[in-house]
Amino acid sequence: MCFELDSLPPVARISGAAVAHDDLELAAEDGTRYAAFEATPDDRNGVGVVILPDVRGLYRFYEELAMRFAERGYDAVAIDYFGRTAGSAKRGDDFDYPPHVAETTQEGIQADIGAAVQHLRPRTRAIFTVGFCFGGRHTWLAAGGGHGLAGAIGFYGRPGVGRDGSTGPTQQAAGLKAPILALMGGADEGIPVDVVHEFERALEEAGVEHEIAIYDGAPHSFFDRKFEEFADASADAWNRTLAFVEQHSGPKR
């Protein structure tokens, strides 16, 4: 897992922002029903965000992150990955996620992303995916998933060949159809910097618009309020995320 159960996003709450939130059950094209969490601002800016969690699926960190986006005017939906094997009910902190992760597929996750995108589409002019770790990998893959995304933002995702041998965003770069933002830890032991540079070269060769930031000394999962020593990296990553969304959202209606 990327974060401790009591971790929170290193993003300030906006006091007084009018935001509604609710647990959802969405349905993918294959009929799978899965859990999601929606945060909706009263004062919408017309932009939607689909949040893809780490390997543990949907839990408090990502619900809080959806709220932080909504406080800034974005319609946000955080999704779960395990509807096909664990159902759509709320789970406890003792959820044994590894067997369920092993049963996921790129096709299934893209179907779930598609359902979240379609949920947001009627009230937005542009939709982005924002993913972390396992979700970072799949957010970039979503740029080639036919979802009509305005951009795909990934925090410390694995861009190369997966542990299961599946091709990643690096190998699939030619099929990515949306701008890419990658926010990576320079001291991430699981994702060496040379792997990130391979991703960058693949995007360049494929002509995919992209921005890659590597934070020197930052580990995997640095985007955590507990990591005070990486507060500057977290702040920069958040600011880059908002700037990327603003740049690629298109004109306001």
Side-chain angles (χ1 to χ4, degrees):
M1 65 184 178
C2 281
F3 301 112
E4 298 296 331
L5 290 170
D6 59 350
S7 290
L8 292 171
V11 179
R13 290 182 172 88
I14 296 180
S15 179
V19 172
H21 61 87
D22 199 9
D23 295 322
L24 298 179
E25 187 179 87
L26 297 178
E29 282 189 352
D30 64 1
T32 298
R33 303 193 70 83
Y34 67 92
F37 177 90
E38 180 175 42
T40 305
D42 278 2
D43 187 13
R44 293 186 169 113
N45 62 17
V47 178
V49 176
V50 177
I51 298 170
L52 308 184
D54 61 63
V55 292
R56 198 163 54 200
L58 183 60
Y59 61 97
R60 184 190 175 197
F61 183 97
Y62 299 102
E63 294 175 350
E64 290 287 338
L65 184 61
M67 296 287 286
R68 302 293 84 77
F69 272 110
E71 289 164 0
R72 289 155 176 83
Y74 302 98
D75 280 89
V77 173
I79 70 170
D80 187 51
Y81 303 122
F82 309 129
R84 292 168 184 80
T85 56
S88 59
K90 279 282 191 180
R91 299 189 296 262
D93 292 345
D94 59 349
F95 174 62
D96 184 24
Y97 62 89
H100 299 277
V101 176
E103 293 296 319
T104 61
T105 64
Q106 288 188 12
E107 294 76 16
I109 291 172
Q110 292 305 315
D112 295 344
I113 293 170
V117 169
Q118 291 308 310
H119 178 76
L120 290 171
R121 183 71 71 192
R123 58 183 187 269
T124 57
R125 69 178 188 276
I127 298 175
F128 296 78
T129 50
V130 181
F132 296 77
C133 182
F134 183 79
R137 176 182 181 83
H138 287 283
T139 192
W140 298 323
L141 290 171
H147 307 302
L149 297 177
I153 302 161
F155 286 70
Y156 32 82
R158 182 183 299 276
V161 175
R163 293 188 178 97
D164 60 355
S166 62
T167 58
T170 298
Q171 291 73 37
Q172 298 185 38
L176 305 185
K177 305 300 182 185
I180 299 293
L181 174 60
L183 303 160
M184 312 299 288
D188 189 332
E189 295 181 357
I191 307 172
V193 170
D194 61 343
V195 172
V196 181
H197 290 322
E198 289 174 7
F199 183 35
E200 186 170 24
R201 285 193 296 271
L203 294 172
E204 289 173 353
E205 291 172 4
V208 178
E209 184 176 353
H210 63 279
E211 176 185 346
I212 295 181
I214 301 173
Y215 297 100
D216 290 343
H220 195 74
S221 304
F222 66 83
F223 193 73
D224 184 341
R225 183 172 292 179
K226 287 184 174 182
F227 287 177
E228 294 181 4
E229 64 268 43
F230 305 117
D232 289 345
S234 292
D236 185 77
W238 179 246
N239 289 335
R240 285 177 185 263
T241 295
L242 297 181
F244 180 87
V245 170
E246 180 68 20
Q247 177 185 355
H248 295 289
S249 293
K252 295 181 179 180
R253 296 179 197 174

